[in-house]
Amino acid sequence: MFVKLQAELRDNFSKSEKAHLRKNGRIPAVVYGKKIPDTPLSVDEKQMLQILRTSPNALIDLEVEGKLKKTAVVREVQRDGLAHKVLSVAFQQVDRNEPIRMKVHLELLLEPQDKQLEVQYLHRELEVMCEPDQVPSVLQIDPEPLRSGNPVLVKDIVLPEGIKAVLPPEEVIVTVLHIAAPEPVEEVAEEAG
C-alpha cells in the first residue's frame, strides 16, 4: 500500500521549536537512508496519525515542499509516556527493489470456544524480510495448536509468498498458560406428569 504525505524541511532543532511545531499541529520528523543524509522534517499531525492508525507499514511517498520525493517507511515513533501523543517520527528511505526488514503486528484469531484459553504472548510482532511493497499490515495466527496445549511457533504462522520470518522457525510466539475446564452443561430434567 502506498500513502502520500506532505513534509516540510526544518532547520531549527531546539526544544522550543519542536514544542512550537507540535502546538501548531505538526510533528517533528527525520528521514534517513543509505543514499541520503539525515534530513530533518515536519509532517502534519492529523495525516501522520491517520497513517499510523490505518496502515503503519505502508510505503510512504514523502513529498518535501512540493519537489523532493522520497519513498520511505515509518521506522520509529516516539510517544509521550503519559498522554501517548506522538512526539516525533523517524522515516527510513527505501529502495523499492531491495528487501527490507519490518515488524508486523500479530493477531491471534480466537473464537468464542477459546475463552477457556489463558495465553501469553512472547512476541506481539514478527520481524519479516520482504520487498517494500509486500509488507502486510497484520499477520493472523491460527489458535489450533493452543487448543491442545501446544505453543504457536514461528513456523506455524502462514506467511504470504515472498515474505520470510527473521526469527528462527522454532521460536515460540504464543504459549498457553492455562486451559480452564469447560463449563458444565446444565441439563434440564423434564418432569413427567
Side-chain angles (χ1 to χ4, degrees), residues 49-91:
L49 292 177
Q50 179 68 19
I51 291 169
L52 292 173
R53 245 188 322 276
T54 59
S55 46
N57 293 338
L59 277 180
I60 299 171
D61 283 329
L62 276 174
E63 191 171 301
V64 182
E65 297 182 349
K67 48 188 170 196
L68 183 63
K69 289 189 177 183
K70 300 184 183 313
T71 301
V73 292
V74 174
R75 190 47 82 185
E76 184 179 348
V77 178
Q78 183 182 12
R79 295 181 186 269
D80 177 281
L82 297 174
H84 295 289
K85 186 175 173 110
V86 174
L87 298 176
S88 65
V89 178
F91 298 99

Side-chain angles (χ1 to χ4, degrees), residues 1-14:
M1 170 184 262
F2 292 92
V3 179
K4 289 187 185 250
L5 180 64
Q6 301 291 322
E8 295 175 4
L9 290 170
R10 61 185 177 94
D11 54 7
N12 187 334
F13 310 111
S14 67

Side-chain angles (χ1 to χ4, degrees), residues 12-162:
N12 187 334
F13 310 111
S14 67
K15 283 186 178 182
S16 61
E17 178 60 24
K18 289 178 184 178
H20 178 72
L21 284 170
R22 291 183 194 107
K23 186 177 179 183
N24 291 309
R26 310 273 314 156
I27 297 174
V30 64
V31 61
Y32 63 88
K34 292 180 190 175
K35 301 173 185 174
I36 62 166
D38 293 1
T39 308
L41 308 168
S42 72
V43 294
D44 181 73
E45 181 179 32
K46 287 181 184 176
Q47 279 186 305
M48 192 69 239
L49 292 177
Q50 179 68 19
I51 291 169
L52 292 173
R53 245 188 322 276
T54 59
S55 46
N57 293 338
L59 277 180
I60 299 171
D61 283 329
L62 276 174
E63 191 171 301
V64 182
E65 297 182 349
K67 48 188 170 196
L68 183 63
K69 289 189 177 183
K70 300 184 183 313
T71 301
V73 292
V74 174
R75 190 47 82 185
E76 184 179 348
V77 178
Q78 183 182 12
R79 295 181 186 269
D80 177 281
L82 297 174
H84 295 289
K85 186 175 173 110
V86 174
L87 298 176
S88 65
V89 178
F91 298 99
Q92 179 184 359
Q93 182 186 22
V94 295
D95 182 335
R96 293 182 189 204
N97 301 319
E98 288 183 21
I100 60 170
R101 291 170 86 147
M102 289 290 291
K103 290 183 179 178
V104 179
H105 179 72
L106 295 171
E107 180 180 87
L108 185 58
L109 299 173
L110 294 175
E111 297 177 12
Q113 74 263 22
D114 297 325
K115 65 182 178 184
Q116 80 273 11
L117 296 175
E118 184 181 340
V119 300
Q120 179 180 14
Y121 288 87
L122 279 74
H123 299 279
R124 294 236 179 224
E125 297 177 317
L126 181 65
E127 189 171 17
V128 299
M129 180 83 112
C130 62
E131 298 293 322
D133 61 349
Q134 292 180 319
V135 179
S137 57
V138 68
L139 291 170
Q140 297 180 330
I141 301 173
D142 182 0
E144 190 57 40
L146 298 171
R147 292 179 184 134
S148 56
N150 296 315
V152 173
L153 307 175
V154 169
K155 68 181 181 182
D156 297 326
I157 299 172
V158 178
L159 298 173
E161 188 175 332

